[in-house]
Amino acid sequence: MEEITSEREIAELLKPKVAIQCAKSAILISSLKNTTLDSANINQNKNEENLKEVEELKMEMFKQKLKNKRLKLCSVMELLIQVMVLLSIWTMLLLLAFN
């Protein structure tokens, strides 16, 4: 085998190997970029979906709070009406008893 002594010969022999390594590196970098961009897009879509879901849940919670307030108001009004009816009956019975 002949010995390779000059730098020029070494550089000529290494050029294809370097070119192949550069091509592999470029492919890996581009695939990483695509993967990163895809995952970023997926994350952004998930974030948007989560925000929409949070807004819907907030609206549902607000509706439930309003419903609870109405129920409380109705129950208080019902209690007041029952007390008024009871007082009216007692008053009528007392009037009948003392007349």
Side-chain angles (χ1 to χ4, degrees):
M1 292 200 116
E2 48 183 83
E3 292 183 30
I4 304 171
T5 55
S6 74
E7 290 180 19
R8 181 176 273 174
E9 290 175 353
I10 293 173
E12 289 295 321
L13 290 174
L14 291 178
K15 273 186 182 179
K17 290 181 182 179
V18 171
I20 291 172
Q21 287 179 347
C22 287
K24 285 181 181 178
S25 299
I27 291 170
L28 287 174
I29 289 172
S30 68
S31 69
L32 283 175
K33 283 183 181 178
N34 290 339
T35 305
T36 306
L37 290 175
D38 290 343
S39 65
N41 288 338
I42 290 171
N43 287 341
Q44 185 177 5
N45 289 340
K46 285 183 181 179
N47 285 341
E48 289 174 2
E49 290 173 5
N50 288 342
L51 288 175
K52 288 179 184 177
E53 187 176 345
V54 165
E55 289 298 321
E56 289 173 3
L57 290 174
K58 282 182 180 180
M59 289 300 293
E60 184 67 28
M61 190 171 71
F62 181 72
K63 289 177 183 177
Q64 287 295 327
K65 283 183 180 181
L66 283 178
K67 186 177 178 182
N68 287 342
K69 284 182 181 181
R70 287 185 198 139
L71 286 174
K72 285 180 184 178
L73 180 64
C74 289
S75 63
V76 168
M77 291 299 290
E78 184 179 352
L79 179 65
L80 286 175
I81 290 172
Q82 288 177 356
V83 168
M84 287 174 49
V85 168
L86 186 62
L87 287 174
S88 298
I89 291 173
W90 282 347
T91 304
M92 193 168 56
L93 288 176
L94 285 174
L95 287 175
L96 289 176
F98 288 116
N99 280 337

